[in-house]
Amino acid sequence: MKTRLAAALVALSLLGSAAMAAAPSMKIVSFTGQIQIKNPDGSITGVVPGAPLPEIPAGAEIQVLTGEAVFQSGDTVVQANAGDTFSFSAPAAGGQVSIAAVGEKTEIKVVVGKTEATLGKGDAVSVTAEAGKASQLAATAGEVSVVSDGKASTLAAGQSLAAAPAAPAVPAV
């Protein structure tokens, strides 16, 4: 009986660890200046050059106080400058990332492959990725300017497009 209980506890522990590892997050790829992260629990994390870079949890609001920054969650890249504020969310199961521009003078870029969306205050997009398929970029609020594989268009809330995939890396000779 004790052996079964111990085995069950180990299995639950491993499942919990796997679920925590799969929890969607965003990372800071590069930045200059200062970043402030308002975590879902209301706590604030400040990021400055030389400090450890935190994983940004889903449900966070990110503000670039000074400088510029590049963030990434899966295949979705966000480029932001001083004064830009945006929120990041993702369902626990993964596969979808949502970005919303919330700052007064925010103008961020959301890049997926060769597709670039420009978001201003009130605009939001979701990116859905499926293995072996082109990611889908959908406007979920506002009107979003998009350039995909060199072609410009505007997506209104509820509209989507298949993001042009990035060119494959050329192996070094």
Side-chain angles (χ1 to χ4, degrees):
M1 180 73 169
K2 285 184 181 180
T3 306
R4 285 188 202 165
L5 180 59
L9 288 173
V10 169
L12 284 173
S13 173
L14 291 173
L15 286 173
S17 297
M20 287 176 64
S25 65
M26 179 173 273
K27 64 182 178 178
I28 301 169
V29 176
S30 64
F31 76 103
T32 61
Q34 297 179 317
I35 300 169
Q36 179 175 287
I37 302 163
K38 183 176 181 183
N39 295 297
D41 66 4
S43 65
I44 304 289
T45 303
V47 183
V48 296
L53 299 179
E55 288 286 320
I56 301 170
E61 183 175 286
I62 300 100
Q63 181 177 16
V64 178
L65 300 173
T66 60
E68 55 189 35
V70 177
F71 306 87
Q72 185 171 6
S73 180
D75 293 338
T76 304
V77 175
V78 177
Q79 301 168 349
N81 296 305
D84 291 341
T85 304
F86 67 95
S87 64
F88 157 70
S89 61
Q96 184 179 39
V97 172
S98 295
I99 305 294
V102 296
E104 203 56 45
K105 296 182 181 180
T106 295
E107 186 172 296
I108 60 173
K109 304 261 187 240
V110 176
V111 181
V112 182
K114 294 193 301 186
T115 300
E116 181 178 289
T118 302
L119 282 65
K121 182 180 181 190
D123 295 336
V125 296
S126 67
V127 178
T128 304
E130 287 186 49
K133 294 185 179 181
S135 295
Q136 289 291 314
L137 175 79
T140 56
E143 288 192 354
V144 179
S145 297
V146 177
V147 176
S148 185
D149 209 15
K151 297 175 185 152
S153 63
T154 300
L155 295 179
Q159 293 182 315
S160 65
L161 59 79
V170 178
V173 183

